[in-house]
Amino acid sequence: MSDAPRVTLAEIAAEAGVSLATMSKVLNGRHDVAPATRARLEEHLARHGYTRRTDRQRSDVVELVFHELEASWSMEVIEGVEDVAHAAGLSVVLTVSGDRHAPSADWIDGVLRRRPVGVVLVFSDIAEHVRDKLRSRGIPFVIVDPAGDPSPDVPSVGSANWSGGLMATRHLIELGHRRIAAITGPEDMMCSLARVDGYRSAMNAAGLPIDPELIRFGDFHPGGGEHHARELLALADPPTAIFAGSDLQALGAIAAGSAAGLRVPDDLSVVGYDDIALARWMSPQLTTVHQPLRRMGEEATRLALRLADGKTPETLRMDLATHLVVRGSTAPPA
Amino acid sequence: MSDAPRVTLAEIAAEAGVSLATMSKVLNGRHDVAPATRARLEEHLARHGYTRRTDRQRSDVVELVFHELEASWSMEVIEGVEDVAHAAGLSVVLTVSGDRHAPSADWIDGVLRRRPVGVVLVFSDIAEHVRDKLRSRGIPFVIVDPAGDPSPDVPSVGSANWSGGLMATRHLIELGHRRIAAITGPEDMMCSLARVDGYRSAMNAAGLPIDPELIRFGDFHPGGGEHHARELLALADPPTAIFAGSDLQALGAIAAGSAAGLRVPDDLSVVGYDDIALARWMSPQLTTVHQPLRRMGEEATRLALRLADGKTPETLRMDLATHLVVRGSTAPPA
C-alpha cells in the first residue's frame, strides 16, 4: 500500500465522469451498467489501486471454489474450511467453476455481488484482472495447492509433494523392490511433477535405473490408475511395485492387478497418495502418503480471514508436511 | 393461504407497538433487537401468517444444510444441488449444523440474514417454530431423506428404502444363502427401519426364519459395519451373507471378514447400500443398492426453486426408485 492519501470512490467517479451511484454499481457487481462502461470504470479502479474499506457491510460468508468436486478428496478440504469459518461465525458458499487452472469468467460477477469475507480457491490460479477486481473490493483470496506456479504475491497453501513422492518410493525400495513404476497426476499440474521428481530422486539416491516406460501421467481418478497399471503389468518386464500418485489411482491400480490375477501385496505392492478417509477401510488397507487436506483447508481459511482483518501474514506461501502411512498394500517382492 | 386481505408489516408493527424499522430488523435476522422483543415480534408475525413478498431483494444463493459431511455420501447430494442451482444462476451456501434430527438453534438467524432463495436440509427435520420463521420470510425448504417422520405438509425427497432392503436380501436368498444378517443404520432413523423391514419381508416371503441375533443397528460408518460384522462372524452359527445397510458399513464388514480369514465373496457375501462412486472400484467390486443421491439433491433443489417461484407442486413428497447393482462381493455360499 502506498503512503499517498487514499483516493475516494467519489473522486474516481468524478475523474471518470460518472455518478457515484454508477461507480457503486460497478463495485458491487451489478449488471445494470453497460459492459463497456463497467470495463472502463474497472480500469479507473485498478489504476488508483482503489481498495474498499472492508469493515462495513461485510457479508457473513467465505467463498470456497472448486473446479470439480471429487468425493473423497474435496470433502476433507471442505470440512477444514467449514470448521474455521464456523468458528468465526461465518458460513461457506461453495461454487464449482472453471477448470483446474482458473475459475470461469462469469464467476467473478457473482463474487462481487455476494461480497464474501474471503475466497479460498482449490487447485486453481486466478487471472491478474480478476485479482485486481478482488483487491479493489477488499476481498482477500488464498489458493490451495495451486496447479500452476503461483506468483509469489499470491497467498497459497500447499503440501510437501516432492517429499511425499520421495518417501513413497523409498519405502518400496527398502522393502526390496527394484522395478518400481510411478503413475502421477496430469502433466500440467505442479503437484504431479513434484511427486514424480521425488520418485526420481529416491531411485537415483538408491542407485536404481529409471526406466521412462515406468513413468506415467494419469488423471488422479481410479480410471487413470487402472488404465496405466494395466499397461504396466502387460510389459515384458513388469514392475513389482507401483507408486500410484493418488489413493483413487491406487484403487484403479489394485483393480488392474486383480484383473491380471495378481494379489496385493503378495504379488504387487501399491502405494497411494492423499490418505483419504476410506484408505484404512480398503482390503488390504492402503499404504499411502498422508496429505493434510483438512488442515490445508483450515490454514487457507485462517489466512484469508487474517488478510480480511487487514493483518499481514509473515509468509504468503505455506507448505504443510506430508508423511508416509504404512498399511497393508505393500510388502517385499515375491 | 387465507383469502383475507394481506396484513402489511407496518400494520403488524403498529399492533405490536414497535416501529417498522424494528420489525424489519427482526424479519432480517439482525441481532440489535433484544431477544425477548424478537421473540414477541416473531409471535406477532406467526399469528398473522405474515409472508414476505419474495420477488424483491432476493439473494442469489440456495442454502444446503448437512448435520455432518460424509465424504462419499454427501458429495453426491452436493453435486446434484450444485448442478440445479448453477443452472438457475444461483450459488450454494453449505452449512453443517445440528444433529441428524434438526439444525442447531442459532442456524436460523444466519439463514434470515443470508436470505437464501430456498433451503435444502439433508437428513434433518426442522422444528415447527423454525418452519414458521422461514415461512414468514418466504423462504421455502425441502428435506432430503428425513430421519424422522416428516409432517405431510413438509416438502421432502426420499428414496425407496424398503424396496432397497427387499432387493438386497432377495438377491442373497436367490444365491442360496439361508443364514443372512442385516446391519442397518441407527434405530432412530426412518430409512434404517425401512431397509431392515425390507430385509424381514424378503426373509418371510422366502419362508426363512428371522433370527433377531442377526439384525443389528449400526451407524452407517465403516466402524459400525466392522464392529457388528466381527460380532456376527464370531457367533456359534455365523451368517454366510451380510446385508450391510450402507456401502461404508459394507467396507467395515469386508474388513472384519478379512480379519477373520474370510474371503469375499467366496466365504462371505456382502451387499452394500448407496452405490457411492467408489463402490465399483473396490476389490472385489461392491454389490449394492443404488440410491440416487445425486438425483435426490437435484429434485430437492428443483422443488425448493419451484416453491420460491410461488408454484404449488403436485406432491410435496417424492420417493425416487432404488435398484440393485450386482457386482463382485456376492456369490453362492461355499
Side-chain angles (χ1 to χ4, degrees):
Chain A
M1 237 186 209
S2 83
D3 292 316
R6 262 181 75 101
V7 63
T8 67
L9 194 62
E11 286 163 354
I12 300 178
E15 178 196 271
V18 299
S19 69
L20 179 57
T22 300
M23 205 69 214
S24 285
K25 283 180 181 176
V26 170
L27 204 61
N28 291 320
R30 297 263 299 274
H31 279 141
D32 46 355
V33 179
T37 309
R38 284 165 68 195
R40 186 171 66 82
L41 298 182
E42 286 288 352
E43 275 173 33
H44 281 272
L45 287 171
R47 181 145 38 82
H48 286 287
Y50 176 83
T51 309
R52 191 209 307 253
R53 283 187 298 275
T54 55
D55 48 0
R56 54 194 172 120
Q57 279 191 276
R58 208 161 79 161
S59 75
D60 60 354
V61 297
V62 169
E63 178 133 354
L64 173 60
V65 188
F66 283 89
H67 77 274
E68 65 166 349
L69 289 174
E70 195 344 278
S72 17
W73 196 97
S74 312
M75 192 55 81
E76 314 219 0
V77 177
I78 294 177
E79 285 177 347
V81 173
E82 177 71 41
D83 269 3
V84 172
H86 189 76
L90 304 168
S91 294
V92 177
V93 173
L94 180 75
T95 54
V96 182
S97 171
D99 59 27
R100 62 177 176 263
H101 295 294
S104 65
D106 62 348
W107 166 78
I108 185 67
D109 292 327
V111 173
L112 300 187
R113 282 195 303 279
R114 288 186 288 275
R115 302 189 55 182
V117 177
V119 174
V120 174
L121 297 120
V122 179
F123 256 137
S124 292
D125 202 347
I126 49 180
E128 190 56 38
H129 72 275
V130 176
R131 288 180 210 169
D132 283 344
K133 287 191 183 179
L134 291 172
R135 283 191 188 116
S136 64
R137 274 72 174 187
I139 300 172
F141 53 91
V142 179
I143 299 180
V144 173
D145 207 7
D149 210 356
S151 327
D153 64 335
V154 173
S156 63
V157 176
S159 70
N161 287 297
W162 182 86
S163 309
L166 184 86
M167 288 185 287
T169 313
R170 190 183 278 160
H171 166 65
L172 293 169
I173 294 169
E174 284 170 359
L175 285 171
H177 293 277
R178 293 293 170 265
R179 195 136 172 89
I180 301 170
I183 309 172
T184 190
E187 201 159 1
D188 59 355
M189 292 173 84
M190 290 300 281
C191 60
S192 304
L193 301 180
R195 288 175 200 177
V196 81
D197 278 351
Y199 157 87
R200 284 198 189 90
S201 288
M203 296 293 278
N204 281 333
L208 293 173
I210 293 173
D211 180 350
E213 207 170 29
L214 296 190
I215 297 179
R216 306 290 173 118
F217 291 93
D219 57 5
F220 281 149
H221 290 278
E226 190 203 30
H227 167 76
H228 289 293
R230 200 172 49 220
E231 287 191 2
L232 287 164
L233 296 174
L235 291 175
D237 185 10
T240 59
I242 299 176
F243 165 45
S246 77
D247 288 348
L248 298 181
Q249 286 189 167
L251 281 186
I254 291 170
S258 184
L262 300 175
R263 285 162 307 156
V264 174
D266 307 19
D267 308 319
L268 177 70
S269 283
V270 176
V271 183
Y273 199 106
D274 288 332
D275 195 20
I276 60 174
L278 291 187
R280 76 184 188 95
W281 290 106
M282 305 296 169
S283 299
Q285 297 188 345
L286 204 58
T287 295
T288 188
V289 176
H290 180 82
Q291 180 169 215
L293 297 168
R294 188 189 181 106
R295 266 203 62 215
M296 288 161 71
E298 290 172 2
E299 291 299 336
T301 311
R302 273 192 206 107
L303 183 51
L305 296 184
R306 273 200 297 275
L307 292 165
D309 283 341
K311 290 176 191 147
T312 311
E314 283 170 30
T315 169
L316 286 176
R317 171 70 190 179
M318 192 189 307
D319 268 327
L320 302 181
T322 49
H323 65 267
L324 183 73
V325 183
V326 178
R327 297 199 185 99
S329 65
T330 48
Chain B
M1 233 184 213
S2 83
D3 291 316
R6 258 181 77 100
V7 62
T8 67
L9 195 61
E11 286 163 353
I12 300 178
E15 178 197 271
V18 298
S19 68
L20 179 57
T22 300
M23 206 70 215
S24 285
K25 282 180 182 177
V26 170
L27 205 61
N28 292 319
R30 297 263 300 276
H31 279 140
D32 46 354
V33 178
T37 309
R38 284 165 67 197
R40 185 170 68 83
L41 299 182
E42 286 289 352
E43 276 172 32
H44 281 274
L45 287 171
R47 181 143 39 83
H48 287 286
Y50 176 83
T51 308
R52 188 202 321 246
R53 282 186 299 274
T54 54
D55 48 0
R56 55 195 171 120
Q57 280 190 275
R58 209 161 79 162
S59 76
D60 61 354
V61 299
V62 169
E63 178 133 356
L64 174 60
V65 187
F66 282 91
H67 77 275
E68 66 166 349
L69 289 174
E70 196 345 278
S72 17
W73 196 95
S74 312
M75 191 56 80
E76 313 217 4
V77 178
I78 293 177
E79 286 177 348
V81 172
E82 176 71 41
D83 270 4
V84 172
H86 189 77
L90 303 169
S91 294
V92 177
V93 172
L94 180 74
T95 54
V96 181
S97 172
D99 58 25
R100 64 179 174 262
H101 295 295
S104 65
D106 61 349
W107 166 78
I108 185 67
D109 292 328
V111 173
L112 300 187
R113 282 195 303 279
R114 288 187 287 277
R115 302 187 57 179
V117 177
V119 175
V120 174
L121 297 122
V122 180
F123 255 138
S124 292
D125 202 347
I126 50 180
E128 189 56 39
H129 73 277
V130 176
R131 288 180 209 167
D132 282 345
K133 287 190 183 180
L134 292 172
R135 283 190 188 119
S136 63
R137 275 73 174 184
I139 301 172
F141 52 91
V142 178
I143 299 180
V144 173
D145 206 6
D149 208 357
S151 328
D153 63 336
V154 173
S156 64
V157 177
S159 71
N161 286 298
W162 183 85
S163 310
L166 183 87
M167 288 185 287
T169 312
R170 191 184 278 161
H171 167 64
L172 292 169
I173 294 169
E174 283 169 0
L175 285 171
H177 293 277
R178 292 294 169 265
R179 194 136 172 89
I180 301 169
I183 309 173
T184 190
E187 200 159 1
D188 58 356
M189 292 172 83
M190 290 301 280
C191 59
S192 303
L193 301 181
R195 287 175 201 176
V196 81
D197 277 350
Y199 157 87
R200 283 199 189 91
S201 289
M203 295 293 278
N204 280 333
L208 292 174
I210 292 173
D211 180 351
E213 207 169 30
L214 296 190
I215 298 180
R216 306 290 173 120
F217 290 92
D219 57 6
F220 281 149
H221 291 279
E226 190 204 30
H227 167 77
H228 289 293
R230 201 173 46 220
E231 289 191 0
L232 289 165
L233 296 174
L235 291 175
D237 185 11
T240 59
I242 299 176
F243 165 46
S246 78
D247 288 350
L248 298 181
Q249 287 190 165
L251 281 185
I254 291 170
S258 185
L262 301 175
R263 285 162 307 156
V264 174
D266 307 20
D267 308 318
L268 176 69
S269 284
V270 177
V271 183
Y273 200 106
D274 289 333
D275 195 18
I276 61 174
L278 291 186
R280 77 185 188 95
W281 290 106
M282 305 297 167
S283 298
Q285 296 188 345
L286 203 58
T287 295
T288 188
V289 176
H290 180 83
Q291 181 169 215
L293 297 167
R294 188 190 182 106
R295 265 204 63 217
M296 287 160 71
E298 290 172 3
E299 291 301 336
T301 311
R302 272 192 207 108
L303 183 51
L305 297 183
R306 271 200 298 275
L307 291 166
D309 283 341
K311 291 177 191 145
T312 309
E314 283 170 33
T315 168
L316 286 176
R317 171 70 190 179
M318 192 187 307
D319 268 326
L320 302 181
T322 49
H323 64 267
L324 183 73
V325 183
V326 177
R327 297 199 184 98
S329 64
T330 47

